[in-house]
């Protein structure tokens, strides 16, 4: 988590509060780190951190959208920004799909 916070701080993103959400709370089995953050302006951010060896494909984009929908329902409010940290190779079509659905890729 500290590496992610340092990376965001270098890009000028500072958060007042950052809370980790367990995948079990959302009833998902994926190995993913999910964070709910509040920036200095009071906007809510959904931050996903994915660490895997295989390439992210279009099916994964749909899977993360479903997880995001569960996160919105769980907290009862919408998030202003969606951010995803990926250390795996990313398919070009998946990258385009993430951007069209409003995700910021780090």
């Amino acid at each position: 988590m500290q590496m992610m916070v340092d990376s965001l701080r270098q890009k000028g993103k500072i958060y007042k509060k950052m809370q980790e959400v367990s995948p079990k709370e959302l009833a998902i089995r994926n190995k993913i780190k999910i964070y709910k953050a509040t920036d200095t302006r009071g906007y809510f951010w959904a931050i996903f951190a994915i660490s895997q060896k295989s390439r992210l494909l279009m099916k994964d984009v749909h899977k993360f959208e479903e997880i995001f929908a569960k996160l919105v329902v769980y907290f009862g409010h919408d998030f202003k920004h969606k951010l995803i940290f990926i250390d795996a190779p990313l398919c070009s079509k998946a990258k385009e799909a993430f951007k069209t659905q409003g995700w910021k890729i780090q």
Side-chain angles (χ1 to χ4, degrees), residues 31-72:
K31 291 184 178 181
I32 181 175
K33 300 252 185 209
I34 304 169
Y35 300 96
K36 172 191 164 196
T38 308
D39 64 6
T40 55
R41 295 182 186 166
Y43 294 125
F44 290 104
W45 287 66
I47 303 172
F48 289 12
I50 298 114
S51 178
Q52 65 184 35
K53 294 179 183 177
S54 62
R55 168 177 271 189
L56 279 170
L57 303 171
M58 281 296 292
K59 66 177 183 168
D60 298 318
V61 174
H62 301 300
K63 178 176 66 175
F64 292 127
E65 276 297 314
E66 289 174 7
I67 294 171
F68 178 72
K70 287 182 181 182
L71 189 67
V72 168

Side-chain angles (χ1 to χ4, degrees), residues 1 4-5 8-9 13-21 34-47 75 77 79:
M1 181 171 153
M4 181 177 61
V5 171
L8 289 168
R9 188 172 290 146
K13 308 264 192 283
I14 300 174
Y15 300 103
K16 290 191 289 188
K17 184 177 177 186
M18 188 176 247
Q19 171 189 358
E20 184 170 0
V21 180
I34 304 169
Y35 300 96
K36 172 191 164 196
T38 308
D39 64 6
T40 55
R41 295 182 186 166
Y43 294 125
F44 290 104
W45 287 66
I47 303 172
F75 283 109
H77 62 76
F79 291 86

Side-chain angles (χ1 to χ4, degrees), residues 17-31:
K17 184 177 177 186
M18 188 176 247
Q19 171 189 358
E20 184 170 0
V21 180
S22 170
K24 287 184 180 180
E25 293 176 41
L26 301 176
I28 56 174
R29 299 180 65 198
N30 298 38
K31 291 184 178 181

Side-chain angles (χ1 to χ4, degrees), residues 56-62 65 82 84 86 89-105:
L56 279 170
L57 303 171
M58 281 296 292
K59 66 177 183 168
D60 298 318
V61 174
H62 301 300
E65 276 297 314
K82 300 184 282 186
I84 189 164
I86 304 171
L90 184 62
C91 171
S92 61
K93 291 179 183 177
K95 184 176 183 178
E96 188 63 34
F98 272 127
K99 289 190 179 202
T100 57
Q101 293 180 359
W103 289 89
K104 295 178 183 166
I105 302 171

